[in-house]
Amino acid sequence: MIKSILALYKTQLLTFKGIGYLFTSIRLVGMNLMALLYIRQRLCPEQIAISQEGVCINYRTLYCQSQHLAMQLALHCGIKPHQKVAIMANNHAILVHTLFAVARLGADIYLLNTELSAAQVNDISNNVKFDCVIYDPDVTALPPIKNSLPTYHESQTSVYSLLTALPLAHQTKIKVTHFAKVTVLTSGTTGRFKMAGRSSKAQNFMRPFLQLLVKLKLSHYKKIYIATPIYHGFGIATLCMSVLLGATMFLTRRFEAKKSCQLIVDNQIEVVTLVPLMLNRMLTYSVDQLKSLSCIITGGAPITAMLVKQTLDQLGKVLFNLYGTSEAGVCMIATPDDLAIKPTTIGRPLKGLCAKLVAKEDKKELYIKCAWSTLGNRWVATGDLADKDAEGFYYLKGRVDDMIVSGGENVYPFELEQHLLSHLEIKDTAVISVPDTEFGQRLVAFVVLVPNSKLTETVLLGWLKSQIARYQMPKKINIIDQLPMTKIGKVDRKRLTQLYLSC
């Protein structure tokens, strides 16, 4: 408790001014995302809030521009409290303005993956019934509604044109609203998705935030690079965390290892949030350009023991591995000390969160329960298979819905991936399932070898035969230079399926 108080004091949130601005924000803008921005712009108005491609915006300017945009959106798009607004955009300053402006209007925000197919978007739209959609101009699959607005357009009305428009002659006072939802779409790239909405009530993020603040020593840092898309739960959480800390958020529209490494070294960035595959590519490109990082936060996908060892050996004890769910946000944290001993662990549950393993045939599914879950304080199935050791550390073992039946046997891609990763000459791997006329379904593996390795598919298949059961053997092993990646930094399994079918 003392550590939490000291950390909050260091961020100025737990000072007389900070507490005073909190109560003022509730009265002026309501309990929503804009309240976070109001407090921060009063505490440190000149602190840079956003840095993107050399353009910087301080917190006072971000707040004033977002308030102005809220009025323009109310006038031109008719956005009102409790309406449902879909936002499909990559990481850029206009997206951040839009998030705060829509939240100020009391509308519920739905963050959609920009890579969704037209069929997926239509399915979501039919279920949710959006009132408005705001989108990047390069997004082609949009909800079929008339009330739509691009983030930028050379000749038509856009978020950018509204943002830069002159103030309204007769400004209408915006109604103060509370507890609008921010909803993220999960698993959209697999074809199986669900919506996870989170209220802006303080108890939904303050308790886990305080534990992150202390464990990761976040109050020490002022420069955070959000590498994951903001439309992902990990990304929007980092944005909120950055505002609470009064840190500068560095944004790039798309992740590229070369540009990201250059951004970090040029600005001496201290914190980065990303998924393991992004970290892998950055370490491969340039370790030296990452030396300023004091806190690397990974999550969203399992991390390999090799990547953990490489990071700790080359950058020191800076790596934190987080596990979270759509319903509860961050659930577990593995510290650098934890990872040094147990490299693949997702850590132990946060205080106030309960976890248990429930038998599912021959595996165990992870269930969680906490007061800040969107589904209330009751047990929720995560869909993740897991194990727990004697010291209370948890380890991911794949997904429940990844299991296939091959020749009458239950087979899990994750198990094959782990066996392949135990080979000293395999740097990374991904396993997919494909239809098979004889067995119904079979596994196909894609592997990335360590530099200078001469391994072949034939040698690997021979080695595997002594490691796993016959029904677990892959139909084929493809050796490739690197795994394809989606915009959110996960392995693009659709692309791998296409690669297999094209062979």
Side-chain angles (χ1 to χ4, degrees):
M1 178 60 74
I2 294 176
K3 289 182 178 179
S4 297
I5 292 172
L6 291 174
L8 283 174
Y9 184 81
K10 190 168 185 177
T11 64
Q12 301 183 64
L13 294 174
L14 200 60
T15 60
F16 287 117
K17 280 188 176 181
I19 295 170
Y21 292 144
L22 169 62
F23 286 110
T24 304
S25 71
I26 296 172
R27 178 172 55 85
L28 294 181
V29 301
M31 281 295 289
N32 49 51
L33 286 179
M34 187 65 96
L36 304 182
L37 184 56
Y38 174 86
I39 296 167
R40 186 46 62 188
Q41 63 91 24
R42 291 303 305 267
L43 289 171
C44 49
E46 301 304 319
Q47 168 70 28
I48 300 300
I50 299 174
S51 178
Q52 182 194 357
E53 298 174 356
V55 178
C56 297
I57 304 171
N58 65 32
Y59 273 100
R60 173 62 56 80
T61 302
L62 178 60
Y63 174 76
C64 293
Q65 289 178 342
S66 298
Q67 283 278 53
H68 168 71
L69 179 60
M71 294 180 185
Q72 295 282 351
L73 289 174
L75 177 66
H76 291 273
C77 299
I79 296 177
K80 301 175 183 178
H82 311 301
Q83 285 190 335
K84 298 174 182 179
V85 179
I87 300 178
M88 303 182 73
N90 295 309
N91 291 11
H92 48 67
I94 293 178
L95 168 61
V96 179
H97 283 100
T98 302
L99 286 170
F100 286 117
V102 175
R104 175 65 183 90
L105 293 171
D108 291 337
I109 297 170
Y110 290 76
L111 296 172
L112 303 188
N113 191 319
T114 58
E115 293 185 326
L116 291 175
S117 68
Q120 289 173 322
V121 171
N122 287 337
D123 190 13
I124 296 167
S125 182
N126 290 334
N127 281 288
V128 178
K129 309 296 182 186
F130 295 119
D131 297 291
C132 177
V133 58
I134 297 172
Y135 62 95
D136 276 350
D138 58 349
V139 176
T140 55
L142 296 173
I145 57 176
K146 293 182 179 179
N147 193 9
S148 61
L149 184 72
T151 54
Y152 179 82
H153 197 282
E154 291 185 359
S155 58
Q156 298 177 8
T157 301
S158 65
V159 175
Y160 178 77
S161 68
L162 295 180
L163 193 58
T164 56
L166 293 173
L168 300 172
H170 302 286
Q171 296 190 5
T172 304
K173 187 175 180 180
I174 301 174
K175 182 181 178 181
V176 174
T177 60
H178 306 289
F179 309 136
K181 289 193 301 183
V182 177
T183 299
V184 296
L185 175 75
T186 66
S187 300
T189 55
T190 67
R192 303 180 299 271
F193 55 81
K194 60 180 179 179
M195 309 298 291
R198 299 196 65 79
S199 167
S200 55
K201 292 181 180 179
Q203 62 264 35
N204 283 339
F205 61 85
M206 283 308 296
R207 193 166 183 183
F209 168 72
L210 288 175
Q211 295 185 63
L212 285 173
L213 193 63
V214 173
K215 281 183 175 287
L216 279 62
K217 300 179 180 179
L218 293 174
S219 59
H220 291 70
Y221 310 122
K222 285 296 181 182
K223 295 180 179 180
I224 299 177
Y225 171 35
I226 307 177
T228 46
I230 290 172
Y231 60 68
H232 187 270
F234 201 11
I236 186 65
T238 305
L239 185 148
C240 294
M241 178 180 71
S242 300
V243 175
L244 281 166
L245 295 171
T248 299
M249 297 173 278
F250 290 83
L251 303 177
T252 52
R253 288 177 182 266
R254 289 178 177 81
F255 173 82
E256 294 179 29
K258 180 180 179 179
K259 290 183 178 180
S260 296
C261 289
Q262 194 64 51
L263 179 73
I264 289 169
V265 70
D266 287 348
N267 295 279
Q268 291 296 285
I269 291 172
E270 303 155 297
V271 181
V272 61
T273 58
L274 34 57
V275 297
L277 191 53
M278 290 177 173
L279 175 59
N280 188 15
R281 292 196 178 179
M282 288 168 62
L283 286 172
T284 300
Y285 179 77
S286 174
V287 173
D288 289 339
Q289 290 183 320
L290 306 179
K291 296 292 187 180
S292 67
L293 292 173
S294 299
C295 181
I296 299 173
I297 307 172
T298 65
I303 191 167
T304 66
M306 182 178 289
L307 181 56
V308 169
K309 186 178 187 304
Q310 183 183 4
T311 305
L312 296 179
D313 288 348
Q314 297 181 342
L315 297 176
K317 292 186 175 183
V318 299
L319 180 64
F320 294 83
N321 190 28
L322 273 57
Y323 170 77
T325 67
S326 306
E327 294 81 12
V330 178
C331 300
M332 303 187 195
I333 302 174
T335 67
D337 289 333
D338 297 333
L339 293 168
I341 302 170
K342 306 169 187 289
T344 58
T345 184
I346 55 174
R348 289 186 280 202
L350 296 180
K351 292 180 180 178
L353 182 140
C354 298
K356 67 178 181 180
L357 298 176
V358 177
K360 294 286 183 179
E361 297 184 2
D362 56 336
K363 302 295 178 182
K364 297 174 183 176
E365 183 176 4
L366 177 62
Y367 279 64
I368 58 98
K369 180 175 72 170
C370 62
W372 59 84
S373 168
T374 58
L375 299 177
N377 195 14
R378 61 185 178 88
W379 289 108
V380 178
T382 64
D384 290 311
L385 298 172
D387 275 341
K388 176 185 175 183
D389 67 18
E391 297 175 78
F393 288 89
Y394 284 81
Y395 303 82
L396 292 180
K397 297 296 179 180
R399 293 282 301 171
V400 172
D401 51 10
D402 282 343
M403 186 197 79
I404 67 167
V405 177
S406 182
E409 299 285 354
N410 294 342
V411 182
Y412 295 87
F414 184 84
E415 290 183 343
L416 177 56
E417 289 174 351
Q418 295 308 297
H419 282 292
L420 286 168
L421 287 170
S422 70
H423 196 293
L424 295 178
E425 294 187 50
I426 293 180
K427 182 179 181 181
D428 211 348
T429 183
V431 175
I432 62 172
S433 63
V434 298
D436 185 84
T437 54
E438 183 179 359
F439 294 93
Q441 285 181 294
R442 290 283 301 277
L443 298 180
V444 171
F446 292 81
V447 299
V448 178
L449 303 179
V450 298
N452 304 316
S453 173
K454 303 298 182 182
L455 273 180
T456 64
E457 179 187 13
T458 302
V459 173
L460 271 176
L461 286 171
W463 170 79
L464 264 181
K465 285 181 180 179
S466 64
Q467 305 290 317
I468 60 178
R470 185 172 178 270
Y471 60 82
Q472 293 177 305
M473 286 293 294
K475 184 175 185 177
K476 182 174 178 56
I477 297 178
N478 299 274
I479 297 174
I480 57 178
D481 293 332
Q482 66 177 14
L483 297 174
M485 185 174 67
T486 66
K487 284 185 179 180
I488 63 175
K490 295 186 179 183
V491 175
D492 191 341
R493 297 181 188 275
K494 286 184 178 179
R495 178 61 182 149
L496 291 179
T497 301
Q498 292 170 355
L499 287 174
Y500 169 75
L501 294 175
S502 66
C503 292

